[in-house]
């Protein structure tokens, strides 16, 4: 929510400077969301290659490929919350996460960080945002520079940003390593000397070293062995308590999301199709896609089951279906579904779903 | 009781690397029965794939099978010549890999590849081979198989490609299929479709299936029996219900306990301590010892496989009888 501008007297010096620079001021609302997304959209264009351009000169009609990887997403995340983001491969989870983390710029729509429009942040405020929102990736092997010692991997950013001094750096890094339950003595080693789980811990230590408020975890345990996944998930939960962190937790594993998220967002082909508190979503899924997804989760309790499978393929984001993107696979599709995209509507308190079935007279 | 079509007995496959001998598979035994599914589970590096390659006769240098027997309908595959093995491979025993492009050739149409796969083992007209290929595609749920035969692999989605590979594996109605993480890279919705196709096909053709995965939940849904591997060894074997409901080996017990659905929501997950072992540097005695909550001095000796009941074995000095909580 936007709150009304405060009077000049209660501005901090940084804000005063920004006010002087003519920027619109939105007060950080203590009770408001840490991150808010409004109509967030990202389009990727695949430019035509030479052959295609040549063919076009000769009269062919080959168009540039356009993918709406994220399409008009509205979402807010409250302080201390863990929001789980799930959906099939290619539905835009990573693209959304990367925009939130400031690694990728939106094509349209806005991100608000503590009530401030990120696109308008400049100078120190921009840097504060860049530090406050960190991202942890799936692959602990490629996300660490193999030529750098752990000390430098973890210590580089906090040193540059003045969170620690050169004299205190060693102690600072060691504290971060203990936080993630690694032996602080390891600070002079290189990434290849560690196992996958340990490298993921190093990645987490690197993120924590800049004192973030918000962490985007993108499939952060997917590459790890089953017995190591539990260790890292426990670490995430422990750190959340200790450091009052807020997470956007991206995972294709709904079992993991069920375990640690407070709220779940389900995406399909770039759009949010359903959003609810975790208990509510798992107990009373509203959207046919969510229902199908929940039915398909393999569970250790279910033996020799007969799999049904959602019929149909995941459609290509290059050429999405009309109307409701799910209609070619939906067992409840009606004529209207082919024509009109259903908007996200509140179906119960805190529970939104985008499906025409909710408009039918009961 | 259905007859075993494949018996693996005390299989040992080692890699003779410059850094030393890697005992990737060290005393693995199990049997595969017609129309039944054996789940082979274990963490990365536990020797699941090498077990599969060993059965297929596909162990590459510097690896070598150094011990054991692999009996296919009573014949020891390890005693066969390469031409004899080639006749079985792909027709009587087939393997499906995690990456469908290990099987498919990117520059050839699906038709060309499938017709060749048919003709490699059964002489017939190209036309008949083409019909066989088309029917196989239809069986695994690929719509308009006639048209799809003309496509190249890149024109299929990942899930569809994996179906094509399954269709190729089923072309000669094999006795055994080894599926190595065949659905791991796929979305749950697509995974469900493929599991259901595979289940149906194996049952109707009485094919024995070895389903290799690190995912206990997938195995729970598809397998009749489970082998749990750790550091190259089978540490536990039994029916799905016995192993998952009453794990005997502390490692299996720990793995099952750490599954989120077996834990209270929001509470710390029960976890196995320590890290996955490096085969180059195993502890003395039981390989699980440094991570085991039941370890004592005896465990510095190597535990032998012992039978708990019929068709149920574990390799541990202190097996658990208690149910996981
Ligand atoms: N840099 C890029 N250039 C072009 N297209 C891209 C780019 N990044 C992502 N896309 C496309 O955007 C869509 C969404 O991709 P994204 O990686 O966000 O999906 P995802 O939900 O994270 O999938 P996964 O579960 O496989 O990680 C896909 O169709 C993808 O091909
Ligand atoms: N060509 C090779 N040279 C040396 N060691 C090898 C070779 N191939 C496999 N190994 C070793 O054999 C062991 C077993 O590997 P394998 O691929 O069977 O594991 P896996 O259980 O299939 O693991 P994953 O789940 O990661 O696929 C590993 O420690 C591996 O390093
Ligand atoms: S809008 Fe129609 S097609 Fe889409 S999920 Fe609802 S019922 Fe199915
Ligand atoms: S033999 Fe000993 S160390 Fe190994 S699993 Fe059994 S109790 Fe644990
Ligand atoms: Mg992704
Ligand atoms: Mg493998």
């Amino acid at each position: 929510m936007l709150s009304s501008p405060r009077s000049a007297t209660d501005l901090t010096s940084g804000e005063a400077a920004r006010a002087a620079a003519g920027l619109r001021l939105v007060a950080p609302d203590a009770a408001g969301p840490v991150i808010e997304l409004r109509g967030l959209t990202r389009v990727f264009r695949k430019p035509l290659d030479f052959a295609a351009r040549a063919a076009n000169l000769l009269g062919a009609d080959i168009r540039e490929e356009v993918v709406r990887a994220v399409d008009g997403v509205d979402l807010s995340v409250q302080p201390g919350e863990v929001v789980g983001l799930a959906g099939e491969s290619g539905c835009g989870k990573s693209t959304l996460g990367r925009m939130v983390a400031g690694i990728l710029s939106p094509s349209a729509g806005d991100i608000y960080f503590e009530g401030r429009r990120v696109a308008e942040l400049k100078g120190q405020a921009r840097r504060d945002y860049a530090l406050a929102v960190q991202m942890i990736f799936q692959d602990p092997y490629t996300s660490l520079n193999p030529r750098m010692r752990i000390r430098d991997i973890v210590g580089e950013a906090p040193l540059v940003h003045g969170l620690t001094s050169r004299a205190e750096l060693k102690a600072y890094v060691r504290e971060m390593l203990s936080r993630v339950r690694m032996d602080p003595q390891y600070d002079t080693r290189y990434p290849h000397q560690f196992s996958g789980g340990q490298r993921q811990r190093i990645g987490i230590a690197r993120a924590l070293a800049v004192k973030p408020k918000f962490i985007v975890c993108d499939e952060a345990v997917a590459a790890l062995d089953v017995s190591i996944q539990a260790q890292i998930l426990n670490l995430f939960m422990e750190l959340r308590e200790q450091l009052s962190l807020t997470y956007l937790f991206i995972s294709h594993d709904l079992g993991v999301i069920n375990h640690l998220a407070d709220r779940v967002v389900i995406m399909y082909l770039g759009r949010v199709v359903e959003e609810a508190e975790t208990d509510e979503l798992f107990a009373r899924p509203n959207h046919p896609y969510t229902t199908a997804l929940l039915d398909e989760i393999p569970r250790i309790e279910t033996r020799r089951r007969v799999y049904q499978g959602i019929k149909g393929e995941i459609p290509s984001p290059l050429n999405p279906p009309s109307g409701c993107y799910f209609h070619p696979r939906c067992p409840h599709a009606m004529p209207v579904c082919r024509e009109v995209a259903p908007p996200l509507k509140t179906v119960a308190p805190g529970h939104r779903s985008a499906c025409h079935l909710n408009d039918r007279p009961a | 009781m259905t007859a075993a079509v494949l018996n693996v007995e005390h299989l040992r496959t080692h890699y003779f690397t410059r850094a030393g001998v890697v005992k990737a598979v060290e005393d693995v035994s199990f049997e595969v029965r017609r129309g039944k599914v054996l789940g082979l589970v274990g963490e990365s590096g536990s020797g699941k794939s090498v077990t599969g390659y060993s059965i297929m006769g596909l162990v590459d240098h510097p690896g070598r099978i150094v011990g054991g027997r692999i009996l296919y309908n009573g014949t020891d595959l390890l005693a066969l010549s390469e031409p004899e093995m080639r006749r079985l491979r792909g027709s009587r025993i087939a393997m499906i890999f995690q990456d469908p492009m290990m099987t498919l050739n990117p520059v050839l149409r699906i038709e060309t590849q499938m017709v060749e796969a048919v003709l490699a083992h059964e002489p017939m007209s190209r036309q008949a081979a083409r019909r066989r290929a088309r029917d196989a595609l239809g069986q695994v749920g690929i719509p308009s198989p006639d048209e799809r035969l003309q496509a190249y692999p890149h024109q299929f989605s990942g899930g569809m490609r994996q179906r094509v590979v399954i269709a190729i594996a089923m072309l000669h109605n094999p006795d055994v299929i080894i599926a190595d993480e065949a659905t791991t890279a796929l979305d749950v919705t697509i995974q469900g479709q493929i599991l259901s196709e595979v289940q149906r096909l194996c049952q109707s053709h009485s094919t024995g299936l070895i389903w290799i995965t690190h995912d206990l939940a997938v195995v729970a849904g598809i397998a009749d029996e489970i082998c749990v591997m750790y550091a190259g060894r089978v540490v536990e074997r039994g029916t799905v219900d016995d192993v998952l409901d009453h794990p005997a080996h502390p490692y299996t017990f720990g793995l099952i306990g750490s599954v989120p659905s077996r834990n209270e929501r929001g509470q710390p997950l029960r976890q196995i301590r320590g890290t996955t072992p490096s085969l180059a540097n195993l502890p003395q005695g039981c390989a699980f010892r440094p991570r085991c909550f039941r370890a004592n001095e005896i465990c510095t000796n190597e535990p032998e496989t012992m039978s708990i009941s019929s068709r149920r074995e574990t390799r541990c000095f202190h097996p658990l009888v208690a149910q996981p909580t």
Side-chain angles (χ1 to χ4, degrees), chain B residues 162-178:
Chain B
Q162 198 59 291
R163 280 166 201 254
V164 172
V165 169
I166 293 169
I168 292 175
M170 297 297 300
L171 277 175
H172 299 283
N173 196 5
D175 296 307
V176 180
I177 292 185
I178 304 168

Side-chain angles (χ1 to χ4, degrees), chain A residues 118-182:
Chain A
V118 166
E120 285 169 4
L121 296 177
K122 297 225 164 59
Q124 188 57 42
R126 177 97 215 169
R127 284 191 290 276
D128 287 347
Y129 161 71
L131 294 182
V133 183
Q134 291 292 311
M135 185 150 179
I136 292 167
F137 301 90
Q138 163 168 0
D139 193 347
Y141 296 87
T142 55
S143 60
L144 302 177
N145 182 339
R147 293 170 191 283
M148 282 168 76
R149 288 177 194 278
I150 303 313
R151 190 169 57 201
D152 301 316
I153 289 174
V154 175
E156 189 179 41
L159 189 64
V160 169
H161 294 283
L163 293 165
T164 182
S165 62
R166 201 160 277 287
E168 283 157 30
L169 183 63
K170 186 170 172 174
Y172 189 86
V173 167
R174 291 187 161 202
E175 189 198 324
M176 292 303 143
L177 291 178
S178 328
R179 273 250 152 88
V180 298
R181 306 196 169 256
M182 271 189 65

Side-chain angles (χ1 to χ4, degrees), chain A residues 89-90 92-95 138 218-219 250:
Chain A
S89 184
K93 305 181 296 293
S94 298
T95 304
Q138 163 168 0
D218 189 359
E219 302 284 3
I250 299 172

Side-chain angles (χ1 to χ4, degrees), chain A residues 47-276:
Chain A
L48 296 180
D49 59 12
F50 176 74
R53 273 178 316 192
N56 276 349
L57 282 178
L58 299 172
D61 182 22
I62 303 175
R63 309 249 174 93
E64 200 178 57
E65 294 189 334
V66 175
V67 180
R68 295 182 82 81
V70 172
D71 190 0
V73 169
D74 296 326
L75 176 69
S76 57
V77 185
Q78 304 299 325
E81 212 182 8
V82 178
V83 172
L85 180 59
E88 286 166 305
S89 184
C91 71
K93 305 181 296 293
S94 298
T95 304
L96 181 80
R98 289 164 66 209
M99 286 192 282
V100 170
I103 301 170
L104 188 71
S105 56
S107 310
D110 276 305
I111 303 172
Y112 291 81
F113 172 65
E114 296 186 326
R116 290 196 172 89
R117 205 160 84 97
V118 166
E120 285 169 4
L121 296 177
K122 297 225 164 59
Q124 188 57 42
R126 177 97 215 169
R127 284 191 290 276
D128 287 347
Y129 161 71
L131 294 182
V133 183
Q134 291 292 311
M135 185 150 179
I136 292 167
F137 301 90
Q138 163 168 0
D139 193 347
Y141 296 87
T142 55
S143 60
L144 302 177
N145 182 339
R147 293 170 191 283
M148 282 168 76
R149 288 177 194 278
I150 303 313
R151 190 169 57 201
D152 301 316
I153 289 174
V154 175
E156 189 179 41
L159 189 64
V160 169
H161 294 283
L163 293 165
T164 182
S165 62
R166 201 160 277 287
E168 283 157 30
L169 183 63
K170 186 170 172 174
Y172 189 86
V173 167
R174 291 187 161 202
E175 189 198 324
M176 292 303 143
L177 291 178
S178 328
R179 273 250 152 88
V180 298
R181 306 196 169 256
M182 271 189 65
D183 187 340
Q185 311 286 341
Y186 288 164
D187 63 344
T188 54
R189 296 201 185 174
Y190 290 90
H192 74 261
Q193 293 171 289
F194 295 95
S195 69
Q198 286 172 315
R199 286 187 236 208
Q200 199 54 296
R201 287 177 198 271
I202 295 165
I204 298 168
R206 176 179 58 184
L208 293 179
V210 296
K211 305 225 182 298
K213 294 178 176 168
F214 189 100
I215 298 188
V216 178
C217 301
D218 189 359
E219 302 284 3
V221 297
L224 302 177
D225 269 318
V226 187
S227 74
I228 308 301
Q229 282 192 11
Q231 295 176 357
I232 300 295
L233 291 172
N234 284 345
L235 176 64
F236 278 128
M237 290 193 282
E238 223 175 273
L239 293 170
R240 173 201 188 184
E241 291 294 313
Q242 287 169 3
L243 306 172
S244 321
L245 294 171
T246 305
Y247 292 120
L248 178 63
F249 200 91
I250 299 172
S251 176
H252 68 279
D253 187 337
L254 283 162
V256 166
I257 287 204
N258 185 15
H259 186 75
L260 55 73
D262 301 309
R263 205 146 49 88
V264 184
V265 174
I266 308 282
M267 281 179 78
Y268 192 74
L269 240 58
R271 295 177 181 164
V272 171
V273 295
E274 184 160 9
E275 179 196 337

Side-chain angles (χ1 to χ4, degrees), chain B:
Chain B
M1 180 125 315
T2 26
V5 56
L6 192 77
N7 282 289
V8 174
E9 296 176 354
H10 307 292
L11 179 69
R12 295 166 66 227
T13 305
H14 295 178
Y15 286 88
F16 298 88
T17 69
R18 235 180 284 157
V21 179
V22 178
K23 299 180 177 176
V25 173
E26 182 67 358
D27 193 8
V28 164
S29 302
F30 55 74
E31 62 178 45
V32 184
R33 288 178 293 147
R34 292 190 173 279
K36 298 284 175 195
V37 182
L38 173 77
L40 198 56
V41 296
E43 292 178 302
S44 188
S46 59
K48 306 182 294 296
S49 296
V50 172
T51 301
Y53 302 148
S54 302
I55 297 170
M56 294 295 289
L58 292 175
V59 176
D60 284 334
H61 182 80
R64 196 149 42 82
I65 296 177
V66 296
R69 300 201 299 170
I70 300 171
L71 300 177
Y72 161 69
N73 284 332
T75 311
D76 188 357
L77 296 182
L78 301 183
L80 295 186
S81 65
E82 178 51 30
E84 288 172 314
M85 194 61 211
R86 211 176 298 135
R87 268 202 296 279
L88 291 181
R89 201 186 294 135
S91 71
R92 308 320 317 141
I93 307 177
M95 188 156 176
I96 301 168
F97 301 93
Q98 170 168 350
D99 180 358
M101 295 315 287
M102 295 219 6
T103 308
L104 299 176
N105 184 333
V107 300
L108 297 180
R109 291 182 199 279
I110 299 298
E111 173 170 347
T112 318
Q113 307 192 38
M114 289 188 79
V115 165
E116 265 161 33
V118 173
L119 296 178
H121 294 285
E122 273 180 67
M124 61 175 84
S125 69
R126 281 196 86 81
Q127 206 128 51
R130 189 181 180 283
R131 271 198 302 276
R132 170 87 68 94
R134 181 199 57 200
D135 293 348
L137 285 188
Q139 270 194 343
V140 295
I142 293 184
S144 23
D146 269 309
E147 280 161 46
R148 299 310 272 163
L149 272 178
Q150 299 308 313
Y152 289 94
H154 72 88
Q155 294 171 305
F156 288 85
S157 67
M160 279 293 165
R161 259 178 240 159
Q162 198 59 291
R163 280 166 201 254
V164 172
V165 169
I166 293 169
I168 292 175
M170 297 297 300
L171 277 175
H172 299 283
N173 196 5
D175 296 307
V176 180
I177 292 185
I178 304 168
D180 189 356
E181 306 274 7
T183 57
T184 304
L186 304 175
D187 279 302
V188 285
T189 56
I190 306 299
Q191 168 171 282
Q193 294 171 350
I194 290 192
L195 286 174
S196 77
E197 300 293 350
V198 168
Q199 236 171 8
R200 195 173 51 73
L201 288 170
C202 286
Q203 248 160 37
S204 64
H205 294 73
S206 300
T207 308
L209 179 63
I210 302 177
W211 192 269
I212 297 179
T213 177
H214 64 279
D215 191 334
L216 281 173
V218 166
V219 144
I222 192 174
D224 300 290
E225 279 191 289
I226 298 188
C227 275
V228 181
M229 289 189 71
Y230 190 81
R233 293 159 178 86
V234 172
V235 295
E236 170 148 23
R237 175 154 87 97
T239 64
V240 175
D241 292 335
D242 280 344
V243 173
L244 296 182
D245 295 336
H246 311 283
H249 196 278
Y251 171 64
T252 320
F253 177 86
L255 268 191
I256 294 169
S258 69
V259 171
S261 67
R262 289 290 170 102
N263 287 267
E264 198 178 327
R265 258 200 64 206
Q267 293 303 303
L269 298 162
R270 284 184 292 269
Q271 62 184 47
I272 299 177
R273 66 178 179 223
T275 56
T276 11
S278 144
L279 288 186
N281 191 13
L282 287 181
Q284 193 204 334
C286 175
F288 188 56
R289 186 166 53 87
R291 308 176 71 187
C292 181
F293 64 101
R294 286 169 81 82
N296 66 5
E297 321 75 68
I298 304 173
C299 307
T300 53
N301 302 296
E302 169 108 37
E304 292 292 322
T305 302
M306 62 163 208
S307 159
I308 304 174
S309 58
S310 77
R311 311 194 66 81
R312 181 120 169 77
E313 293 173 351
T314 187
R315 190 189 284 270
C316 171
F317 289 113
H318 310 294
L320 294 132
V321 275
Q323 236 174 302
T325 45

